[in-house]
Amino acid sequence: MPALLALSQLSDALAIHGMALRGGFAVASLDDVPDMKDGSAARTLLLVGNVGGAMWPAFARSGALADPHPDRMDRWTRRVIDAIATDCGATPLYPFSGPPYHPFQRWAARAEPVHVSPLRIFIHPTFGLWHAYRAALIFGERLDLSSIAGPDAAKSSADNPCVTCDGRPCLSACPVGAFQEAGFDDLACARHVDGPDGTECRDHGCLARRACPVGREYSYSPPQMAFHMEAFLARRR
């Protein structure tokens, strides 16, 4: 890293914006990681995201909420990460750039001990469902990742909090049973949330997600939950 010489410095730069390093790995041929901006091969990938509600105050303070564009959080993320990537000599990648889209879920499974929850989103054993991946930074050098979540983080069934969860309240909490073995019924969910009986989900966040007992201390604030729910509805109206 030419400007940010250590992962600790990169972490500090991300923390200003409420983001964090979410693990990383040494790039292998099967990871489908593109080349660097200059055409050279990427050798290390670091995931960047948010944990809990730390990112929301930084986003709100930035003035990005006033952006009339429907993807204003993605646009703000790109501005922040592009600048940090320039400082540290990395090439930035984003989950919202596409099609084709980068395999962020596969990368996350390589980088952290996450599992697919009954809600079809990744659950972390500490942060529960209250986290997200916002970007990746790729480097032409092999970086020492010992200070962050290691590559191919071990994930046995015992590590998955959903395996030992009593009753799986996330599934029974949904008023319209949108989460089924066959998949997520996003149309039923959107109709409910956008209707007269959907106020609680619309204003305070998905009832199913909030029912999960893992990592509740990291749950998003009501304004952040309402923001994401409105973004979900806007794509289905």
Side-chain angles (χ1 to χ4, degrees), residues 184-225:
F184 172 51
D185 189 343
D186 61 327
L187 183 57
C189 174
R191 284 173 175 166
H192 170 74
V193 174
D194 210 18
D197 297 327
T199 303
E200 183 63 25
C201 287
R202 188 168 60 248
D203 294 348
H204 297 93
C206 171
L207 282 168
R209 192 173 184 180
R210 288 157 52 197
C212 177
V214 182
R216 279 180 173 160
E217 63 271 31
Y218 294 96
S219 61
Y220 298 160
S221 66
Q224 182 175 359
M225 292 196 205

Side-chain angles (χ1 to χ4, degrees), residues 1 7 10 21 23-24 44-48 135-137 139 143 145 148:
M1 298 185 189
L7 292 184
L10 177 54
L21 289 176
T44 304
L45 182 144
L46 300 179
L47 282 175
V48 174
L137 296 172
F139 298 84
L143 303 181
L145 304 179
I148 60 175

